[in-house]
Amino acid sequence: MALADRNTKLVSAKFGNEDAKTLAGYEKLGGYQMLRKALAMRPEDIANEVKASNLRGRGGAGFATGVKWGFVPKDAKEVHLVCNADESEPGTCKDRELIYWDPHLLVEGMVISAFALKAKHNYIYIRGEMMREYAVIAKAVEEAYARGYLGKNILGSGFECHLTVHRGAGAYICGEETALLNSLEGLRGQPRLKPPFPAIKGLFGNPTIVNNVETLMNVPFIVDKGGAWFAALGPGRSGGTRMLCVSGHVNKPGVYELPIGITFRELIDEVCGGVWKGRKAKAVIPGGTSMPPLTYDELDVPIEFDALMTDERIKPVEIAPGVPFDMGGGRQLRSMAGSGGVVVMDDHTDIPKAVWRIMKFYAHESCGQCTPCREGTGWMTKVAKRVADAQGKPGDLELLASIAHGIAGNTICALGDAAAWPMLGFLTKFRPDFEAALAASGAAA
Amino acid sequence: MSLEFSAESKKKIAALCERYPTKRPVVLAALHLAQKEFGHLSDDALRLVGTTLDLPYAHVYGVATFYTMFRREPGGRTTIRVCTNISCMLRGGYEVLDEFSAKLKLAPGESSKSFSLVEEECIAACANAPAVLCGTKYFLDVTPAQVAAIIAELEREPRPEGEVA
Ligand SMILES: Cc1cc2nc3c(=O)[nH]c(=O)nc-3n(C[C@H](O)[C@H](O)[C@H](O)COP(=O)(O)O)c2cc1C
Ligand code: SF4
Ligand code: FES
């Protein structure tokens, strides 16, 4: 058992192999053998292997999958497993590739996970715009039914498992798990108040586990080689490998499966051929636009869930110069590993303009339920736009910080934080850029 | 004018209704099918979805107006979704959108008979920015110079989104 190296490929092993997308091709490569193995195990034992594996959610929060599964009440009559395939966090483009290249791995991962959770009616919620991927996964599900990997009595085990692919119709917020459940139930995709958490009361009022595509695709490997093996692939409390999506100003943007713990600098310089045009990285979004950015000097931090939250080389986010943002109980916010979407901006980037575009996204996608989010994201977009356009007014930077601070922690779902954190993060780390934009407006900061 | 679903759509809807404890979850799929058949979601189309699934008109209306892929007005045969979100913007997404706009003589949000032009949020193709999505077809690493050829291709081979409904 050893740490993963750059050649360790699990979920992306079949990228580029058209044949592997068909059931026959998948089976030829050993597909559905892990399902056979799992069905001979006890559900509790599979859940325990997942717990031991240190698999952490790849959807954004990095929550331990085995622990989440453990929240389902033991006496639940009906449980559901829902795969979150809504991928729409800007900078993130792994789930789409994973579904496209290895749809049966997702099906196999879901049936195994459903068996462990004793879940009979299960769903894949796929983003509406992913029309090509919908066609691919719908075909895989159909093939799996025809071969008896889904349906009433799977491979003679007595286990009944159904899988339905449910298409969304355009709404980033439906990636938030409770909005997703409402959308699945045929409602507007608005987040629910928590608690109750979905693991207690989710889809149709039943205990429900929502997991990301990549999370579920790792489960067959855990069943195959064991939780301890998977845990050993990664450092600390993060098992396995990680899909990283690198975009922006690098020579070789791409979707790469890499060891957890590779640093941002290694990722950019060694995997992605460096920053384009011989330039230098200025800002790096570490895991989707919702996460506070890093500066050039912070790129030696490993891309690992805990490191991004606690590594002291990352300057904490502030609400004003010298005043740290308090996440509650005095906890500071550095950054988070998020969704694996790494966006690199070179030293020619217009930072205020980039921030305006990010804010415009959140304003467009706010579901409108909470006043701080609905009004605040709109205001931040407006003010960021005028600053970027050299039309800013004195006090605009304080205004942006105060709106963001007013949103953070005061909303029903995390979209509010997702807008507020990068706003505060960019203001904290790239203040001179905003000040220059204000100076160009003829308004001193 | 009252509308009706095709036999094929009726069959699809009936099969989907078996997959959920009630009919309400099928509303998104039924709206996708209605948009495919009728081009857009008129009041009559919403009423049809309501009667098909035993849902009040107000509910169907509320759902249809929440999601950006549904349109209440007629649109073009192919919807061209040009991403301008951060990764695409950093590599020229707005220049690509402007070029589509100039060549098609459509502002983002406008439609002709053949095309609807949409400024899109991230379409999960960031590593191939700028990215453009037309139905099941992605155009990746797009430059403004390629836009004319893309339009010509879509004129020859339209990519209606209803293909997968
Ligand atoms: C605004 C918002 C959008 C989200 N979008 C996604 C998404 O597209 N895909 C995803 O897997 N998780 C997304 N999440 C996280 C989910 O709520 C949830 O935590 C995740 O699907 C759980 O799966 P995991 O534990 O396997 O990561 C989003 C969260 C928020 C607040
Ligand atoms: S925080 Fe924003 S997106 Fe989330 S529930 Fe409130 S208004 Fe909706
Ligand atoms: S930002 Fe354009 S595809 Fe993701």
mmCIF file of all heavy atoms in Angstrom, chain A residues 246 248-253 265-281 344, chain B residues 91:
data_model
loop_
_atom_site.group_PDB
_atom_site.id
_atom_site.type_symbol
_atom_site.label_atom_id
_atom_site.label_comp_id
_atom_site.label_asym_id
_atom_site.label_seq_id
_atom_site.Cartn_x
_atom_site.Cartn_y
_atom_site.Cartn_z
ATOM 1 N N VAL A 246 -8.027 22.039 -14.800
ATOM 2 C CA VAL A 246 -7.210 23.242 -14.847
ATOM 3 C C VAL A 246 -7.589 24.055 -16.076
ATOM 4 O O VAL A 246 -7.566 23.555 -17.202
ATOM 5 C CB VAL A 246 -5.705 22.917 -14.867
ATOM 6 C CG1 VAL A 246 -4.900 24.191 -14.594
ATOM 7 C CG2 VAL A 246 -5.374 21.845 -13.849
ATOM 8 N N GLY A 248 -7.915 28.389 -17.755
ATOM 9 C CA GLY A 248 -7.336 29.729 -17.707
ATOM 10 C C GLY A 248 -6.000 29.776 -18.413
ATOM 11 O O GLY A 248 -5.784 29.084 -19.402
ATOM 12 N N HIS A 249 -5.086 30.576 -17.851
ATOM 13 C CA HIS A 249 -3.856 30.924 -18.558
ATOM 14 C C HIS A 249 -2.717 29.931 -18.375
ATOM 15 O O HIS A 249 -1.625 30.303 -17.947
ATOM 16 C CB HIS A 249 -3.401 32.313 -18.119
ATOM 17 C CG HIS A 249 -4.416 33.380 -18.439
ATOM 18 N ND1 HIS A 249 -4.563 34.524 -17.689
ATOM 19 C CD2 HIS A 249 -5.326 33.469 -19.430
ATOM 20 C CE1 HIS A 249 -5.523 35.280 -18.213
ATOM 21 N NE2 HIS A 249 -6.011 34.657 -19.264
ATOM 22 N N VAL A 250 -2.921 28.667 -18.664
ATOM 23 C CA VAL A 250 -1.807 27.708 -18.647
ATOM 24 C C VAL A 250 -1.614 27.166 -20.062
ATOM 25 O O VAL A 250 -2.511 27.242 -20.900
ATOM 26 C CB VAL A 250 -2.043 26.529 -17.663
ATOM 27 C CG1 VAL A 250 -2.007 27.008 -16.229
ATOM 28 C CG2 VAL A 250 -3.352 25.819 -17.973
ATOM 29 N N ASN A 251 -0.433 26.596 -20.294
ATOM 30 C CA ASN A 251 -0.152 26.075 -21.637
ATOM 31 C C ASN A 251 -0.966 24.836 -21.967
ATOM 32 O O ASN A 251 -1.349 24.626 -23.107
ATOM 33 C CB ASN A 251 1.346 25.776 -21.786
ATOM 34 C CG ASN A 251 2.137 27.051 -22.025
ATOM 35 O OD1 ASN A 251 1.740 27.895 -22.840
ATOM 36 N ND2 ASN A 251 3.232 27.221 -21.298
ATOM 37 N N LYS A 252 -1.177 23.987 -20.946
ATOM 38 C CA LYS A 252 -1.943 22.761 -21.199
ATOM 39 C C LYS A 252 -3.107 22.620 -20.230
ATOM 40 O O LYS A 252 -3.031 21.865 -19.260
ATOM 41 C CB LYS A 252 -1.019 21.528 -21.085
ATOM 42 C CG LYS A 252 -0.058 21.379 -22.263
ATOM 43 C CD LYS A 252 0.604 19.999 -22.250
ATOM 44 C CE LYS A 252 1.593 19.870 -21.109
ATOM 45 N NZ LYS A 252 2.130 18.532 -20.900
ATOM 46 N N PRO A 253 -4.186 23.371 -20.503
ATOM 47 C CA PRO A 253 -5.354 23.183 -19.640
ATOM 48 C C PRO A 253 -5.851 21.753 -19.808
ATOM 49 O O PRO A 253 -5.578 21.116 -20.830
ATOM 50 C CB PRO A 253 -6.379 24.176 -20.193
ATOM 51 C CG PRO A 253 -5.753 24.876 -21.349
ATOM 52 C CD PRO A 253 -4.452 24.236 -21.662
ATOM 53 N N ARG A 265 1.748 24.720 -7.488
ATOM 54 C CA ARG A 265 2.880 25.074 -8.347
ATOM 55 C C ARG A 265 3.284 23.878 -9.220
ATOM 56 O O ARG A 265 3.538 24.019 -10.415
ATOM 57 C CB ARG A 265 4.061 25.572 -7.506
ATOM 58 C CG ARG A 265 4.934 26.540 -8.288
ATOM 59 C CD ARG A 265 6.043 27.175 -7.454
ATOM 60 N NE ARG A 265 5.626 27.946 -6.290
ATOM 61 C CZ ARG A 265 5.145 29.191 -6.328
ATOM 62 N NH1 ARG A 265 4.965 29.814 -7.471
ATOM 63 N NH2 ARG A 265 4.826 29.819 -5.212
ATOM 64 N N GLU A 266 3.310 22.697 -8.610
ATOM 65 C CA GLU A 266 3.637 21.496 -9.401
ATOM 66 C C GLU A 266 2.577 21.273 -10.478
ATOM 67 O O GLU A 266 2.886 20.910 -11.617
ATOM 68 C CB GLU A 266 3.696 20.261 -8.491
ATOM 69 C CG GLU A 266 4.892 20.238 -7.553
ATOM 70 C CD GLU A 266 4.752 19.223 -6.412
ATOM 71 O OE1 GLU A 266 3.619 18.792 -6.092
ATOM 72 O OE2 GLU A 266 5.793 18.884 -5.826
ATOM 73 N N LEU A 267 1.334 21.464 -10.095
ATOM 74 C CA LEU A 267 0.242 21.272 -11.048
ATOM 75 C C LEU A 267 0.420 22.202 -12.251
ATOM 76 O O LEU A 267 0.349 21.775 -13.407
ATOM 77 C CB LEU A 267 -1.104 21.547 -10.360
ATOM 78 C CG LEU A 267 -2.340 21.499 -11.265
ATOM 79 C CD1 LEU A 267 -2.614 20.079 -11.728
ATOM 80 C CD2 LEU A 267 -3.574 22.049 -10.534
ATOM 81 N N ILE A 268 0.659 23.463 -11.973
ATOM 82 C CA ILE A 268 0.749 24.445 -13.051
ATOM 83 C C ILE A 268 2.024 24.234 -13.873
ATOM 84 O O ILE A 268 1.984 24.174 -15.104
ATOM 85 C CB ILE A 268 0.705 25.881 -12.469
ATOM 86 C CG1 ILE A 268 -0.672 26.136 -11.842
ATOM 87 C CG2 ILE A 268 1.024 26.923 -13.537
ATOM 88 C CD1 ILE A 268 -0.746 27.389 -10.989
ATOM 89 N N ASP A 269 3.164 24.101 -13.189
ATOM 90 C CA ASP A 269 4.438 24.065 -13.908
ATOM 91 C C ASP A 269 4.748 22.701 -14.511
ATOM 92 O O ASP A 269 5.250 22.616 -15.626
ATOM 93 C CB ASP A 269 5.588 24.476 -12.972
ATOM 94 C CG ASP A 269 5.510 25.950 -12.600
ATOM 95 O OD1 ASP A 269 4.790 26.697 -13.312
ATOM 96 O OD2 ASP A 269 6.134 26.350 -11.608
ATOM 97 N N GLU A 270 4.447 21.629 -13.770
ATOM 98 C CA GLU A 270 4.875 20.307 -14.247
ATOM 99 C C GLU A 270 3.794 19.594 -15.044
ATOM 100 O O GLU A 270 4.082 18.921 -16.024
ATOM 101 C CB GLU A 270 5.323 19.451 -13.047
ATOM 102 C CG GLU A 270 6.566 20.044 -12.375
ATOM 103 C CD GLU A 270 6.850 19.421 -11.011
ATOM 104 O OE1 GLU A 270 6.387 18.294 -10.763
ATOM 105 O OE2 GLU A 270 7.531 20.087 -10.203
ATOM 106 N N VAL A 271 2.549 19.719 -14.620
ATOM 107 C CA VAL A 271 1.475 19.006 -15.320
ATOM 108 C C VAL A 271 0.933 19.845 -16.484
ATOM 109 O O VAL A 271 0.653 19.317 -17.556
ATOM 110 C CB VAL A 271 0.326 18.627 -14.350
ATOM 111 C CG1 VAL A 271 -0.792 17.895 -15.086
ATOM 112 C CG2 VAL A 271 0.857 17.779 -13.197
ATOM 113 N N CYS A 272 0.810 21.133 -16.269
ATOM 114 C CA CYS A 272 0.130 21.981 -17.269
ATOM 115 C C CYS A 272 1.093 22.817 -18.105
ATOM 116 O O CYS A 272 0.668 23.759 -18.782
ATOM 117 C CB CYS A 272 -0.880 22.877 -16.586
ATOM 118 S SG CYS A 272 -2.175 21.930 -15.775
ATOM 119 N N GLY A 273 2.377 22.504 -18.058
ATOM 120 C CA GLY A 273 3.328 23.184 -18.935
ATOM 121 C C GLY A 273 3.556 24.651 -18.620
ATOM 122 O O GLY A 273 4.024 25.411 -19.469
ATOM 123 N N GLY A 274 3.205 25.076 -17.411
ATOM 124 C CA GLY A 274 3.471 26.450 -17.004
ATOM 125 C C GLY A 274 2.427 27.444 -17.490
ATOM 126 O O GLY A 274 1.511 27.099 -18.236
ATOM 127 N N VAL A 275 2.596 28.673 -17.036
ATOM 128 C CA VAL A 275 1.677 29.746 -17.433
ATOM 129 C C VAL A 275 1.975 30.136 -18.875
ATOM 130 O O VAL A 275 3.132 30.131 -19.296
ATOM 131 C CB VAL A 275 1.835 30.947 -16.481
ATOM 132 C CG1 VAL A 275 0.964 32.119 -16.928
ATOM 133 C CG2 VAL A 275 1.475 30.529 -15.055
ATOM 134 N N TRP A 276 0.956 30.439 -19.627
ATOM 135 C CA TRP A 276 1.144 30.718 -21.059
ATOM 136 C C TRP A 276 1.937 32.007 -21.291
ATOM 137 O O TRP A 276 2.075 32.828 -20.400
ATOM 138 C CB TRP A 276 -0.190 30.723 -21.801
ATOM 139 C CG TRP A 276 -1.104 31.926 -21.564
ATOM 140 C CD1 TRP A 276 -0.931 32.946 -20.665
ATOM 141 C CD2 TRP A 276 -2.317 32.211 -22.266
ATOM 142 N NE1 TRP A 276 -1.964 33.825 -20.741
ATOM 143 C CE2 TRP A 276 -2.824 33.418 -21.715
ATOM 144 C CE3 TRP A 276 -3.025 31.586 -23.286
ATOM 145 C CZ2 TRP A 276 -4.017 33.995 -22.169
ATOM 146 C CZ3 TRP A 276 -4.202 32.171 -23.725
ATOM 147 C CH2 TRP A 276 -4.686 33.353 -23.170
ATOM 148 N N LYS A 277 2.430 32.131 -22.498
ATOM 149 C CA LYS A 277 3.138 33.325 -22.966
ATOM 150 C C LYS A 277 4.326 33.698 -22.081
ATOM 151 O O LYS A 277 4.717 34.861 -22.010
ATOM 152 C CB LYS A 277 2.168 34.510 -23.084
ATOM 153 C CG LYS A 277 0.988 34.213 -24.019
ATOM 154 C CD LYS A 277 0.016 35.371 -24.130
ATOM 155 C CE LYS A 277 -1.189 34.961 -24.967
ATOM 156 N NZ LYS A 277 -2.231 35.980 -25.042
ATOM 157 N N GLY A 278 4.863 32.692 -21.352
ATOM 158 C CA GLY A 278 6.026 32.951 -20.494
ATOM 159 C C GLY A 278 5.723 33.870 -19.318
ATOM 160 O O GLY A 278 6.635 34.426 -18.713
ATOM 161 N N ARG A 279 4.445 34.008 -18.997
ATOM 162 C CA ARG A 279 4.088 34.926 -17.918
ATOM 163 C C ARG A 279 4.088 34.221 -16.568
ATOM 164 O O ARG A 279 4.371 33.043 -16.460
ATOM 165 C CB ARG A 279 2.699 35.524 -18.198
ATOM 166 C CG ARG A 279 2.707 36.437 -19.414
ATOM 167 C CD ARG A 279 1.312 36.992 -19.675
ATOM 168 N NE ARG A 279 1.288 37.711 -20.936
ATOM 169 C CZ ARG A 279 0.176 38.044 -21.578
ATOM 170 N NH1 ARG A 279 -1.011 37.719 -21.071
ATOM 171 N NH2 ARG A 279 0.229 38.707 -22.708
ATOM 172 N N LYS A 280 3.676 34.963 -15.550
ATOM 173 C CA LYS A 280 3.670 34.477 -14.176
ATOM 174 C C LYS A 280 2.222 34.408 -13.698
ATOM 175 O O LYS A 280 1.398 35.241 -14.093
ATOM 176 C CB LYS A 280 4.449 35.516 -13.369
ATOM 177 C CG LYS A 280 4.864 35.084 -12.001
ATOM 178 C CD LYS A 280 5.747 36.176 -11.369
ATOM 179 C CE LYS A 280 5.421 36.252 -9.892
ATOM 180 N NZ LYS A 280 6.120 37.297 -9.182
ATOM 181 N N ALA A 281 1.919 33.423 -12.857
ATOM 182 C CA ALA A 281 0.567 33.342 -12.299
ATOM 183 C C ALA A 281 0.365 34.483 -11.312
ATOM 184 O O ALA A 281 1.258 34.815 -10.535
ATOM 185 C CB ALA A 281 0.366 32.011 -11.597
ATOM 186 N N VAL A 344 -6.455 29.499 -13.416
ATOM 187 C CA VAL A 344 -5.195 30.237 -13.319
ATOM 188 C C VAL A 344 -5.304 31.559 -14.078
ATOM 189 O O VAL A 344 -5.701 31.583 -15.240
ATOM 190 C CB VAL A 344 -4.038 29.386 -13.894
ATOM 191 C CG1 VAL A 344 -2.718 30.151 -13.823
ATOM 192 C CG2 VAL A 344 -3.935 28.058 -13.140
ATOM 193 N N ARG B 91 -9.960 33.420 -21.805
ATOM 194 C CA ARG B 91 -9.371 33.017 -23.081
ATOM 195 C C ARG B 91 -10.184 33.509 -24.273
ATOM 196 O O ARG B 91 -10.107 32.940 -25.361
ATOM 197 C CB ARG B 91 -9.190 31.494 -23.127
ATOM 198 C CG ARG B 91 -8.160 30.994 -22.095
ATOM 199 C CD ARG B 91 -7.944 29.505 -22.148
ATOM 200 N NE ARG B 91 -7.041 29.093 -23.210
ATOM 201 C CZ ARG B 91 -5.791 28.657 -23.019
ATOM 202 N NH1 ARG B 91 -5.291 28.593 -21.807
ATOM 203 N NH2 ARG B 91 -5.065 28.279 -24.031
#
